[in-house]
Amino acid sequence: MSTSNFRIHPTIGFARVGNSSEYYLEPNTQAALPIPGDTTGNATGGLPVKAGTENDTITSSDLRDASGALKRQAARFKIYAYPAQASETYPMGVEGTEIRIGTQIDGKTVSNIVWTVHLANKKSNWYIIPEDLGIDNYKNGETPALRNDVAPFSSDINDPTRLRQLIIDPGPRTVQGASAAPVAFDQTTPSSSWVDGKGVVQWPNYPKSFPGDFFPNMDCPNGPIDTLGELQTDQYGRLIVTGGYGRACGMIDPNTNKPYELNSDIDNDGWFDDGSDGPVYAVLQFSDGSTQEVQGHAWVTATDPAYAPQTLNTVSLWDDIYDIWVRHLALQPSLFANGKFQTSYQPSFSDELFPIFRAAAMQMWNTNLSITGTTAHGAVDEIQPDTDPATTLLGGLGFIRDPNDASQLQNSRMMPLSLGDAGQSFLTLRKTQYFFLQQWDQKQYSQTGTVTLNAGEYLDKTMLVNCLGGRFSPGIDLTFIVRDPALYVQNWQTSGTGPFRIQPKPLDYSQAVAGQAFLTAGYTPNIQNNPLGDQQPIDTNPGSPGLEPGDASKFMALPWHTDYNSCATHQPDPLPQFNNTLYWSWPAQRPVAVYVAKDLSGSTSQLPAQRFSVRGEGTATNPFDPAQVGRYQQRIDMVDNWHKIGVVIQGNAIDASDGGPFSAKYYLEVQSQLDNGGDPVVPWPNTVSPSTNEKTDGKS
């Protein structure tokens, strides 16, 4: 019997679409987190790394292939072994051993690693995403209206014909060994999975389904959706998952005999995209012929490109998930217990406070902040471990919106300076983040202490720090379902899985029947009390069977391109009285206004005028309309041109061909293929006419 516990890290990995067959690997360091007081920048921390390398950071010329196509970002998964424990805490406090082919563990040698992954896309067979309620759309068993609730489709979300036609499902795939060739999630590659006692088994009767199987003559501006990506391994047997090619396809509307129009920023009937998600499993094979299932599975999702991979979100996906685990899943009793935060807990300045300050400062690189605004945000970045909180711009936290005070959710004079979540006009920090700031303000924090994570735990956090949180309407990477405690493995202390793992639904592929849908509509939140509320413990659906492939990404926009296009600037929703000012949605993931590297050539002392990240033909407003700038005026143009958008990266990672290198203090746009036309960037605040009181359906 093994004396070790085996887990896949990161617990949730992110692959990102691109229109190139080439890829690079997701970041393996947290985005842009230098040592407090560092004036040299972060030496390209948070950038992805080159394919086939361990730590060889990409530079600006690595973002596109030789033809100019945007490379995909692949998700890489590793396996770690830990000493088996009857009950564990977080952080574990022990380092793990990475398991590679050839590793000796528990007196045996690992001869092979077999990975099984199942990707699917259920967006077209899901519900619409009303902005005003978010996860509360699923309160007390309720659900929103269906997508594609039009003829000829049934209004029953589990109708067998509807499931077959509207779910993209290539079935499971396996890959094994070192440096394994890509295995595609397409129509022709056999479906297969690992079965205990039998090894890798192929499933010839698995009912694969792609849009082209049912809807001929689709409108596919960038090619048909005929794959959801590939699996392969590196030289050590680690798993590499690449997602789709960023394609979107529209059916032919039987009423007009033309492609369905893109009439919404979020929910477009008749359309598909090639995003996806699903579980990741692994089995170790040893030289003595024995096998070991890896107890800690993982999840992977393929989503939008990383257009600003180093820019921190004020609220990251890590902040959202960590907050739920702290307050609802007993992650750290020393921090939160018996329904309240523990005032004896002293947050680490470097690990739990400074990232909040740094994120605020970094917003200047992707927004049209005025000089006054950038100066104020920059001052927050200068806060040191020994700075007296009372002497800072944040002294007394009077400028920070309190997530515990509902009256502040519509106060435009407080920070963060960004649009809020469903039903909230303005963004708030997560409650755990705000508690950290309260402790700092009371000088109850550690100036020198650190939060020590082992390598696997660090990977878990790194992946989530590099993703969007806070504004899930529906968002860009994952969405409000991450706030459902029932989403996760509950017995994490004793099951051997550890925290932050999505609960998968067991699937028996031997039951697959050709021509009959295998996947169902799947996971539905069952929220009895708002997970962001204060009632403890939260009453969710204790009998949740877990998630099927496609269940995490189905809550996102369809297609993602239209939401990305919309989310430049908007008025708040709900709209506070007398407010006519525009704010940003999620600029750290969807840059609004940028500094272009080539505009800076020859000068490193003064930043040039900004340009919109989305610019050029099709973006100009006529007449000039501040509420519509920085986006395409016709949604289909984003479907056509998403891969031409540039990427914002740190100045010292910019090659000479892009005008660099520059100071590491700068974060500049490179590799854009859009022309410089469109509307001029006007420094914030931007306003709409009070008489117009403009409000779009953009939800972001």
Side-chain angles (χ1 to χ4, degrees), residues 18-189:
N19 66 329
S20 170
S21 61
E22 298 181 24
Y23 70 90
Y24 47 76
L25 295 168
E26 62 188 1
N28 60 3
T29 58
Q30 292 179 39
L33 291 181
I35 298 172
D38 177 22
T39 60
T40 63
N42 192 38
T44 64
L47 272 177
V49 297
K50 297 177 182 178
T53 68
E54 182 65 20
N55 293 302
D56 190 2
T57 304
I58 67 167
T59 57
S60 61
S61 59
D62 297 318
L63 296 168
R64 297 185 180 275
D65 65 20
S67 71
L70 185 67
K71 293 181 183 179
R72 293 174 292 170
Q73 178 180 295
R76 178 172 56 185
F77 294 90
K78 305 177 182 180
I79 298 172
Y80 286 86
Y82 304 98
Q85 302 180 59
S87 182
E88 69 176 78
T89 58
Y90 181 84
M92 289 182 69
V94 295
E95 189 55 69
T97 300
E98 186 186 351
I99 302 299
R100 306 175 178 182
I101 294 176
T103 298
Q104 291 188 340
I105 189 77
D106 295 338
K108 298 188 290 187
T109 300
V110 177
S111 59
N112 192 25
I113 303 174
V114 181
W115 299 88
T116 300
V117 181
H118 188 166
L119 297 179
N121 178 312
K122 294 183 175 181
K123 288 185 179 183
S124 295
N125 188 51
W126 195 238
Y127 302 102
I128 66 172
I129 313 294
E131 182 184 15
D132 55 344
L133 292 176
I135 197 171
D136 278 352
N137 280 295
Y138 300 89
K139 203 169 184 179
N140 301 319
E142 298 176 357
T143 58
L146 271 180
R147 287 172 173 164
N148 287 303
D149 191 11
V150 296
F153 303 112
S154 168
S155 294
D156 176 5
I157 196 171
N158 273 308
D159 175 78
T161 300
R162 181 184 171 97
L163 292 171
R164 280 284 285 154
Q165 293 181 341
L166 295 181
I167 293 178
I168 305 174
D169 181 15
R173 298 289 186 276
T174 54
V175 68
Q176 59 183 302
S179 302
V183 176
F185 285 95
D186 59 11
Q187 188 65 264
T188 60
T189 304

Side-chain angles (χ1 to χ4, degrees), residues 92-364:
M92 289 182 69
V94 295
E95 189 55 69
T97 300
E98 186 186 351
I99 302 299
R100 306 175 178 182
I101 294 176
T103 298
Q104 291 188 340
I105 189 77
D106 295 338
K108 298 188 290 187
T109 300
V110 177
S111 59
N112 192 25
I113 303 174
V114 181
W115 299 88
T116 300
V117 181
H118 188 166
L119 297 179
N121 178 312
K122 294 183 175 181
K123 288 185 179 183
S124 295
N125 188 51
W126 195 238
Y127 302 102
I128 66 172
I129 313 294
E131 182 184 15
D132 55 344
L133 292 176
I135 197 171
D136 278 352
N137 280 295
Y138 300 89
K139 203 169 184 179
N140 301 319
E142 298 176 357
T143 58
L146 271 180
R147 287 172 173 164
N148 287 303
D149 191 11
V150 296
F153 303 112
S154 168
S155 294
D156 176 5
I157 196 171
N158 273 308
D159 175 78
T161 300
R162 181 184 171 97
L163 292 171
R164 280 284 285 154
Q165 293 181 341
L166 295 181
I167 293 178
I168 305 174
D169 181 15
R173 298 289 186 276
T174 54
V175 68
Q176 59 183 302
S179 302
V183 176
F185 285 95
D186 59 11
Q187 188 65 264
T188 60
T189 304
S191 297
S192 61
S193 67
W194 173 273
V195 178
D196 286 342
K198 296 182 179 180
V200 174
V201 176
Q202 291 192 2
W203 307 109
N205 290 327
Y206 192 88
K208 302 175 186 175
S209 57
F210 286 88
D213 299 338
F214 307 100
F215 308 107
N217 305 316
M218 298 185 74
D219 179 29
C220 298
N222 296 300
I225 298 176
D226 52 13
T227 181
L228 293 182
E230 302 89 35
L231 303 179
Q232 55 191 290
T233 62
D234 68 10
Q235 66 270 35
Y236 304 113
R238 300 162 172 164
L239 175 67
I240 296 172
V241 183
T242 47
Y245 291 88
R247 295 171 181 171
C249 292
M251 308 175 200
I252 302 301
D253 186 341
N255 298 315
T256 64
N257 205 33
K258 296 179 180 179
Y260 277 90
E261 294 186 8
L262 293 169
N263 292 319
S264 169
D265 293 325
I266 301 295
D267 302 291
N268 287 284
D269 287 344
W271 280 82
F272 296 88
D273 68 25
D274 64 356
S276 65
D277 71 273
V280 177
Y281 302 101
V283 171
L284 305 178
Q285 293 180 311
F286 297 98
S287 55
D288 65 359
S290 62
T291 62
Q292 171 68 57
E293 178 183 353
V294 175
Q295 299 98 324
H297 62 278
W299 208 268
V300 64
T301 185
T303 184
D304 308 21
Y307 292 111
Q310 295 168 289
T311 308
L312 287 170
N313 291 279
T314 307
V315 180
S316 71
L317 192 58
W318 164 258
D319 295 319
D320 250 303
I321 292 177
Y322 179 67
D323 177 68
I324 288 299
W325 275 80
V326 164
R327 295 193 295 117
H328 298 285
L329 291 165
L331 183 70
Q332 290 178 270
S334 63
L335 169 57
F336 187 94
N338 301 316
K340 61 183 180 180
F341 288 104
Q342 304 299 296
T343 55
S344 59
Y345 186 88
Q346 294 196 344
S348 159
F349 183 87
S350 61
D351 295 323
E352 295 169 316
L353 289 164
F354 187 69
I356 302 173
F357 306 148
R358 169 48 56 98
M362 296 195 79
Q363 303 310 298
M364 69 165 286

Side-chain angles (χ1 to χ4, degrees), residues 395-417:
L397 302 186
F399 290 104
I400 305 298
R401 204 169 285 110
D402 184 350
N404 304 289
D405 186 349
S407 68
Q408 296 187 13
L409 300 182
Q410 293 191 11
N411 189 334
S412 63
R413 298 181 179 276
M414 305 184 77
M415 302 294 287
L417 192 65

